[in-house]
Amino acid sequence: MMLRLIAFFALTLFAAPAFAQQAVNITAALFTLDETSNTAVFTGNVVVVHPTVTVWATKVEATYGAGGTTDLKTFDATGDVRLKTDDQEATGEHAVFTPGDQLLRLTGNVVVINAGGTVNADELVVNLETNVSTFTSGQSGRVTGTFSSQ
């Protein structure tokens, strides 16, 4: 349940057509659109603001298909990535969302905080289709968590 909201908001931000009418504001130091490779790259203190989630990163690269920018293939955020909703916040070094397989992967010193507690790991994979969130830890040790009873 802890990550269900972030997963839902990531999905609505990057893939759900029902929310296509909602404004998404993106600011960055530089924006490059390459129609040959179907990529949109934002660099330099990137902030993506959607009505339900805000994403911060050093760089955000989106690849899209033949349908144009509404045909999202991947959303890739790197460098001090932060996802924040009204209820929780997740941070890491790299986040990738792929609508085709409905996976949101956050890696590199992952920390997820909400009213229920905090989880720390090397990697978090959220399967939006099955609503399964998996925290893993590599060489750095173990997944850790601190939870508060309510």
Side-chain angles (χ1 to χ4, degrees):
M1 183 67 181
M2 177 175 224
L3 296 174
R4 190 173 273 171
L5 287 175
I6 282 187
F8 171 75
F9 292 130
L11 177 64
T12 61
L13 175 61
F14 308 123
F19 291 94
Q21 298 85 7
Q22 294 186 354
V24 175
N25 296 306
I26 303 173
T27 59
L30 179 67
F31 170 55
T32 304
L33 180 64
D34 185 341
E35 293 183 26
T36 304
S37 64
N38 291 347
T39 58
V41 180
F42 299 86
T43 54
N45 298 317
V46 182
V47 181
V48 181
V49 179
H50 182 276
T52 57
V53 64
T54 302
V55 179
W56 291 266
T58 302
K59 177 181 176 183
V60 170
E61 181 172 340
T63 58
Y64 54 92
T69 55
T70 59
D71 181 17
L72 185 69
K73 298 297 179 192
T74 62
F75 177 91
D76 191 326
T78 56
D80 297 321
V81 177
R82 180 176 163 211
L83 296 147
K84 185 171 184 354
T85 68
D86 288 340
D87 299 322
Q88 64 187 339
E89 184 172 333
T91 59
E93 287 302 313
H94 188 199
V96 178
F97 174 65
T98 49
D101 60 10
Q102 293 295 291
L103 292 179
L104 171 64
R105 182 179 311 271
L106 183 61
T107 59
N109 299 312
V110 174
V111 179
V112 178
I113 302 169
N114 70 15
T118 302
V119 176
N120 300 280
D122 288 336
E123 179 179 56
L124 164 63
V125 177
V126 180
N127 185 321
L128 298 171
E129 189 173 312
T130 63
N131 289 321
V132 174
S133 300
T134 305
F135 289 90
T136 58
S137 188
Q139 297 177 1
S140 70
R142 300 169 56 90
V143 174
T144 63
T146 303
F147 304 97
S148 58
S149 58
Q150 298 195 26

